């Protein structure tokens, strides 16, 4: 029997995504932690945090849950206790990755649009406090998920699998919690990032127009070092947040079409368009957890140089060893 196209796509897509995403995020963390990329310490904190969260998403969400747990359904990952933890950690990691990106966008918004607060807010200490606070809140917010699942079956007194408890469908408190989780991961971050970027663009256009008016000469304004520095600083912001918005757009649209309309997107039919749209949204959503490395390499010259040196380093060491052996 031929497997549906969407399942074949997932079977090929997720292993390739993990093969690229895991080493890419590890490399990004190592390079940014050295602090040689010419970025402020504040920005580095957010970028390292985003790369760390993306690495956790790649490991737990993609490798453990979508690959191992799917292809090995009767391994130790299927024990109910382990299954509950995996579901909890996958949702928390995705939530954390999203809000780290939102916090980075907000930090850049303050830096560009709120000059009076820039000196106090855009610091390494504040960035660290924001990241730690978001991490703690994210993991605490997901704790009730442990109580929303129960064993799917019991074999020889061993609890296997996870299934949603009946209370989740009947109690209003669980319904409110489910909506809160969905809104906090999908709708609210998407709305905030769109709003913050819109305000930032408006501020930049007004500032550039005023500066060109003060300088009076178009050719001089094009060579204005302050405008060049401002342009470089916002390229990083818009590429990261723009990539996030673009890759999450399908997931947000699918959420609005299914959750808000109370429709069921899957009833065993893998050719169902709503199901395909939802799974496509997941494919693009997880892709956003490994695109930042490409963005940094494309927009940051010093990061690109550090990345090139890191990739060349093993071959350089091997060449030195071979050269020394020939010498002796």
């Amino acid at each position: 029997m031929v497997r549906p196209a969407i399942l074949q796509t997932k079977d090929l897509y997720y292993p390739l995504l993990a093969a690229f995403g895991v080493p890419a995020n590890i490399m990004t963390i190592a390079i940014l932690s050295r602090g040689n990329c010419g970025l402020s310490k504040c920005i580095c904190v957010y970028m390292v945090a985003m790369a760390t969260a993306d690495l956790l998403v790649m490991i737990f969400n993609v490798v453990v849950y979508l690959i191992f747990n799917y292809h090995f359904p009767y391994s130790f990952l299927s024990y109910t206790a382990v299954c509950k933890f995996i579901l909890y950690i996958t949702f928390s990691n995705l939530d954390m990755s999203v809000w780290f990106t939102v916090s980075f966008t907000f930090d850049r918004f303050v830096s560009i649009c709120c000059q009076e607060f820039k000196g106090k807010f855009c610091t390494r200490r504040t960035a660290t406090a924001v990241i730690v606070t978001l991490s703690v809140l994210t993991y605490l917010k997901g704790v009730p998920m442990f109580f929303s699942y129960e064993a799917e079956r019991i074999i020889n007194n061993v609890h296997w699998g996870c299934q949603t408890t009946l209370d989740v469908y009947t109690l209003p408190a669980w319904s409110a919690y489910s909506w809160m989780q969905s809104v906090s991961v999908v709708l609210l971050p998407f709305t905030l990032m769109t709003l913050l970027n819109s305000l930032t663009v408006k501020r930049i256009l007004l500032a550039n127009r005023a500066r060109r008016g003060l300088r009076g000469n178009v050719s001089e304004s094009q060579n204005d070092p302050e405008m060049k520095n401002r342009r470089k600083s916002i390229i990083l912001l818009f590429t990261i947040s723009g990539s996030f918005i673009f890759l999450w757009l399908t997931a947000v649209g699918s959420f609005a079409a299914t959750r808000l309309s109370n429709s069921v997107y899957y009833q065993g039919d893998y050719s169902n368009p709503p199901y395909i749209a939802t799974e496509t949204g997941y494919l693009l959503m997880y892709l956003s957890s490994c695109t930042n490395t490409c963005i940094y390499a494309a927009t940051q010259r010093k990061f690109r140089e550090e990345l090139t040196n890191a990739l060349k380093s093993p071959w350089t060491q091997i060449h030195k060893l071979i050269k020394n052996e020939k010498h002796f």
Side-chain angles (χ1 to χ4, degrees):
M1 182 177 178
V2 179
R3 285 170 60 81
I6 186 64
L7 297 184
Q8 294 184 34
T9 301
K10 291 167 62 176
D11 290 343
L12 179 63
Y13 177 83
Y14 286 126
L16 292 177
L17 185 67
F20 173 78
V22 171
N25 282 301
I26 293 176
M27 188 82 68
T28 300
I29 294 171
I31 292 175
L32 293 175
S33 299
R34 298 177 61 184
N36 297 329
C37 296
L39 300 170
S40 68
K41 295 181 179 180
C42 172
I43 295 179
C44 282
V45 169
Y46 285 110
M47 292 171 66
V48 170
M50 288 189 293
T52 303
D54 289 340
L55 176 61
L56 293 176
V57 170
M58 285 290 107
I59 293 175
F60 287 98
N61 296 49
V62 178
V63 177
V64 175
Y65 183 68
L66 293 172
I67 298 178
F68 287 165
N69 193 48
Y70 178 77
H71 291 285
F72 304 98
Y74 298 105
S75 67
F76 78 98
L77 298 175
S78 297
Y79 291 147
T80 300
V82 179
C83 177
K84 285 184 177 182
F85 175 76
I86 292 175
L87 291 172
Y88 161 76
I89 201 68
T90 53
F91 189 89
S92 298
N93 288 338
L94 189 62
D95 194 357
M96 191 165 57
S97 175
V98 169
W99 282 101
F100 283 176
T101 308
V102 174
S103 65
F104 170 77
T105 305
F106 182 75
D107 176 86
R108 294 299 86 198
F109 166 77
V110 172
S111 176
I112 295 172
C113 302
C114 306
Q115 294 294 322
E116 61 274 16
F117 298 111
K118 178 180 177 181
K120 295 181 179 180
F121 186 82
C122 300
T123 63
R124 181 175 184 176
R125 182 177 180 179
T126 301
T128 303
V130 169
I131 295 302
V132 172
T133 302
L134 286 175
S135 301
V136 173
L137 291 177
T138 297
Y139 286 119
L140 288 178
K141 187 176 67 174
V143 168
M145 294 187 65
F146 279 108
F147 306 97
S148 65
Y149 295 99
E150 61 184 3
E152 188 174 357
R153 62 181 69 89
I154 301 177
I155 303 175
N156 296 329
N157 293 325
V158 178
H159 293 70
W160 288 90
C162 291
Q163 65 179 4
T164 307
T165 62
L166 184 61
D167 291 341
V168 172
Y169 300 103
T170 58
L171 296 181
W174 278 114
S175 178
Y177 176 77
S178 177
W179 270 98
M180 183 270 292
Q181 289 284 55
S182 299
V183 170
S184 68
V185 177
V186 181
L187 293 182
L188 184 58
F190 190 86
T191 303
L192 284 176
M193 293 190 68
T194 304
L195 176 62
L196 291 173
N197 279 300
S198 300
L199 295 175
T200 303
V201 169
K202 181 179 178 180
R203 172 77 179 194
I204 291 172
L205 292 176
L206 292 175
N208 288 346
R209 187 182 304 170
R211 189 164 182 83
R212 282 196 299 266
L214 289 174
R215 293 179 66 89
N217 192 319
V218 176
S219 61
E220 290 182 0
S221 64
Q222 291 176 347
N223 297 322
D224 186 357
E226 181 174 335
M227 293 186 68
K228 286 184 177 181
N229 292 333
R230 185 184 302 159
R231 189 181 302 112
K232 291 179 181 178
S233 66
I234 65 177
I235 285 176
L236 183 62
L237 167 65
F238 289 157
T239 49
I240 292 176
S241 57
S243 172
F244 173 88
I245 292 173
F246 175 76
L247 294 175
W248 274 74
L249 188 60
T250 303
V252 174
S254 176
F255 172 83
T258 57
R259 189 64 183 271
L260 298 180
S261 62
N262 293 322
S263 61
V264 179
Y265 71 90
Y266 172 62
Q267 293 179 331
D269 183 8
Y270 293 106
S271 62
N272 190 6
Y275 171 77
I276 295 177
T278 300
E279 292 301 317
T280 302
Y282 289 147
L283 298 178
L284 296 175
M285 182 179 68
Y286 285 119
L287 178 61
S288 67
S289 293
C290 64
T291 55
N292 283 349
T293 302
C294 300
I295 291 174
Y296 302 154
T299 61
Q300 303 296 312
R301 179 181 58 82
K302 291 186 177 181
F303 179 88
R304 188 162 55 248
E305 292 175 355
E306 290 290 320
L307 179 61
T308 302
N309 293 334
L311 294 175
K312 288 181 178 179
S313 180
W315 303 106
T316 303
Q317 296 300 324
I318 293 174
H319 182 265
K320 288 182 178 179
L321 289 175
I322 295 175
K323 187 177 181 180
N324 290 334
E325 289 181 0
K326 288 183 177 180
H327 176 72
F328 286 114

